[in-house]
Amino acid sequence: MIRRLAVASVSLAVVLGCGTLPAVAADSRPTAAASAAPDVDVTKVKAHLNELSAIASRNGGNRRSTGQGYRDSVAYVKGKLQAAGYTVTEQPCTSGCTSGAGPNLIAEWPQGDANQVTMFGAHLDGVSAGPGMNDNGSGSAALLENALTLAQQNPAMTGRVRFAWWTDEEQGLNGSDFYVRSLSSTERAKIKAYYNFDMVASVNGGYFINHITSAAAAPMKAYWDSLGLQPEENTEGAGRSDDYSFEQYGIPTSGYAMGASARKTSAQAAKWGGTAGSAYDPCYHRSCDTLTNINTTGLDRASDGIAHTVWQRAVRSETGGCDTAGVVGNGGFESGTAPWTGDTGAIGAHSGQSAHTGTRYAWLAGYGSTRTESIGQQVTVPAGCSRATLTYWLRIDTDETGSTAYDRFTVKADGSTLATLSNADASGGYVQRSVDLTAYAGRTVTVTFTGSEDASLQTSFVLDDVSLQGS
Ligand code: DTR
Ligand code: ZN
Ligand code: ZN
């Protein structure tokens, strides 16, 4: 019989939203079950950079989107990809781009489930001032050598991998925006995550990851964690590169970056080396962004982390394992809110309810007024599972009486409803319940829990200890 005021929950959400949260370790997905990714040869990545540098030299010293330096860059990347067996598409940017800008270049590895696409992208254009080796020959070359390595290894795939080299990023993220905008909603929904690589070889750089605590970032972070790099959130680059175009359509994004014109702090210099008080890239958008403006160690670490992520997301595990440990991140809600997204103000140790285990839980609905609250996260069900069950503990308490369903709780996977409960199912204490995710083995699926109330008489859906069980 607990009533919760909407006002109280708003203030709770504010308190939880900032400052008070502990630093959250991202869910660390098991890496053991997937076959190991190959090493990406940084000398080959640098050979691509040399070619991009020569292209700039032949074309007035730059690779800006509207110039021949850009078109020649496209031709170089395209030629390498075609020789490796890719079908490559040049997509002219017919709206929103600078007049005269060259095309996007898209290459898909034609194996794995075409409905489960992971995209990896980098902008291939540069500014007018110089050859654009760190910005963004680095991301372009790292991505190209990854595409060639995938083709050369030719592993058995579960999901699809699609690579993109974007035009006209420097004038406003225009090529990537055109691409995402031009997709049908059906095609857009097949893209389960987008990873961006913009400036991954800054000479005084740091190790930055976009949306570092998100489920999408987990394989990127796990790789850099394994090298002891202590990566941080890419705050400088937020909203400033092509991942933003995908973010605007609700597609999960992540990526690596080593930083631009912002300055390295003394704490960062202490853990990463380099010069405190100086820019991560002292040649950002300048004529000196040449081959000498490249951090080979950083470029190598980014290139290998991309391969790790490609393998984690889309390559069939050799062992056929069904290791479900850690697949649901922060399933007990004990460590902040990530990787849960949605109405994360519902997560916490609120007064009026208590946890199944630990101290925190997610309290969905319970306002006694018309209201819907949802939380969700991406879950990758291991391909080797012949059965997979998502279990959760749910306490339903209600002021409703009788057996009519007024207030509802649903569990969905990629939008399809797997379970519906209501006030009529209230029984006082926590009850363990489950939904079958066997159909999603080998796939990444967004699991969503929703509490929804009608205009009067509260029903609280209190969720805790969500986990995946497999066999
Ligand atoms: N899109 C980048 C802009 C940028 C600014 N700061 C950062 C930090 C990390 C990556 C990218 C950026 C550009 O092309 O200029
Ligand atoms: Zn850039
Ligand atoms: Zn730039």
Side-chain angles (χ1 to χ4, degrees):
M1 295 290 220
I2 293 136
R3 265 175 200 278
R4 188 160 58 136
L5 298 173
V7 189
S9 106
V10 167
S11 63
L12 268 173
V14 169
V15 171
L16 283 166
C18 52
T20 57
L21 290 182
V24 180
D27 69 328
S28 46
R29 282 159 195 245
T31 52
S35 44
D39 180 70
V40 175
D41 187 347
V42 76
T43 62
K44 292 182 176 171
V45 179
K46 291 194 87 171
H48 301 314
L49 271 177
N50 282 332
E51 295 297 331
L52 294 174
S53 173
I55 286 167
S57 297
R58 289 197 293 272
N59 291 286
N62 71 68
R63 300 183 303 104
R64 66 167 174 251
S65 63
T66 52
Q68 192 60 37
Y70 180 75
R71 291 172 194 283
D72 286 3
S73 299
V74 169
Y76 173 73
V77 174
K78 184 178 184 180
K80 290 285 174 189
L81 291 166
Q82 285 177 327
Y86 281 87
T87 303
V88 188
T89 306
E90 282 186 26
Q91 179 192 43
C93 181
T94 53
S95 94
C97 281
T98 308
S99 170
N104 290 325
L105 195 68
I106 314 290
E108 183 161 305
W109 186 240
Q111 287 196 52
D113 185 346
N115 293 316
Q116 301 288 321
V117 179
T118 303
M119 281 195 76
F120 296 83
H123 73 86
L124 185 55
D125 67 316
V127 291
S128 300
M133 288 296 99
N134 187 36
D135 186 13
N136 187 29
S138 62
S140 298
L143 214 56
L144 174 57
E145 192 52 32
N146 260 280
L148 301 181
T149 302
L150 178 62
Q152 190 269 324
Q153 296 269 320
N154 194 17
M157 305 294 288
T158 52
R160 267 297 143 116
V161 177
R162 186 182 301 161
F163 298 96
W165 287 265
W166 306 119
T167 187
D168 214 28
E169 188 270 357
E170 295 291 4
Q171 274 64 41
L173 322 180
N174 297 327
S176 56
D177 174 69
F178 176 76
Y179 175 81
V180 190
R181 192 161 33 89
S182 303
L183 292 170
S184 66
S185 53
T186 308
E187 289 304 311
R188 224 180 273 131
K190 294 176 183 173
I191 304 173
K192 303 306 175 188
Y194 171 78
Y195 293 92
N196 196 63
F197 306 96
D198 190 354
M199 310 182 72
V200 292
S202 308
V203 291
N204 189 41
Y207 294 93
F208 300 110
I209 299 181
N210 303 344
H211 302 143
I212 190 166
T213 59
S214 69
M220 304 237 98
K221 183 175 184 299
Y223 184 74
W224 276 3
D225 281 347
S226 78
L227 301 180
L229 296 177
Q230 300 177 249
E232 296 180 7
E233 178 62 36
N234 180 17
T235 49
E236 183 195 18
R240 289 178 63 181
S241 192
D242 297 297
D243 45 320
Y244 188 63
S245 302
F246 287 79
E247 217 173 293
Q248 281 180 306
Y249 283 92
I251 296 168
T253 65
S254 186
Y256 287 145
M258 291 193 72
S261 57
R263 292 166 193 276
K264 187 172 264 185
T265 66
S266 47
Q268 291 171 337
K271 72 174 178 180
W272 291 326
T275 309
S278 295
Y280 300 119
D281 178 358
C283 290
Y284 177 60
H285 284 185
R286 297 174 60 194
S287 60
C288 59
D289 187 10
T290 62
L291 286 173
T292 58
N293 190 46
I294 290 294
N295 174 342
T296 302
T297 303
L299 185 64
D300 191 18
R301 289 167 170 172
S303 301
D304 291 341
I306 296 170
H308 179 78
T309 304
V310 169
W311 256 252
Q312 285 285 306
R313 290 200 60 105
V315 171
R316 188 172 295 286
S317 126
E318 271 167 4
T319 54
C322 175
D323 184 354
T324 54
V327 162
V328 175
N330 191 17
F333 304 104
E334 297 303 323
S335 47
T337 60
W340 295 100
T341 57
D343 300 308
T344 51
I347 297 170
H350 317 278
S351 63
Q353 294 286 350
S354 56
H356 173 251
T357 62
T359 55
R360 294 156 48 90
Y361 48 87
W363 184 351
L364 298 169
Y367 299 96
S369 57
T370 307
R371 188 91 177 220
T372 296
E373 276 182 321
S374 285
I375 58 165
Q377 69 170 273
Q378 282 197 343
V379 169
T380 301
V381 183
C385 297
S386 48
R387 287 198 57 77
T389 309
L390 187 81
T391 60
Y392 57 96
W393 290 84
L394 186 69
R395 173 171 193 263
I396 306 174
D397 88 55
T398 187
D399 291 347
E400 306 278 4
T401 51
S403 58
T404 306
Y406 297 106
D407 305 326
R408 293 170 205 279
F409 175 84
T410 59
V411 185
K412 292 183 180 163
D414 277 354
S416 39
T417 304
L418 302 181
T420 304
L421 294 157
S422 77
N423 51 277
D425 299 298
S427 66
Y430 273 101
V431 176
Q432 190 178 34
R433 301 183 180 272
S434 65
V435 291
D436 186 5
L437 292 184
T438 305
Y440 298 93
R443 297 217 240 149
T444 300
V445 63
T446 301
V447 173
T448 313
F449 296 95
T450 304
S452 176
E453 285 178 287
D454 69 356
S456 68
L457 297 177
Q458 77 87 24
T459 304
S460 293
F461 299 99
V462 189
L463 177 68
D464 202 359
D465 294 335
V466 184
S467 75
L468 189 73
Q469 314 291 322
S471 58

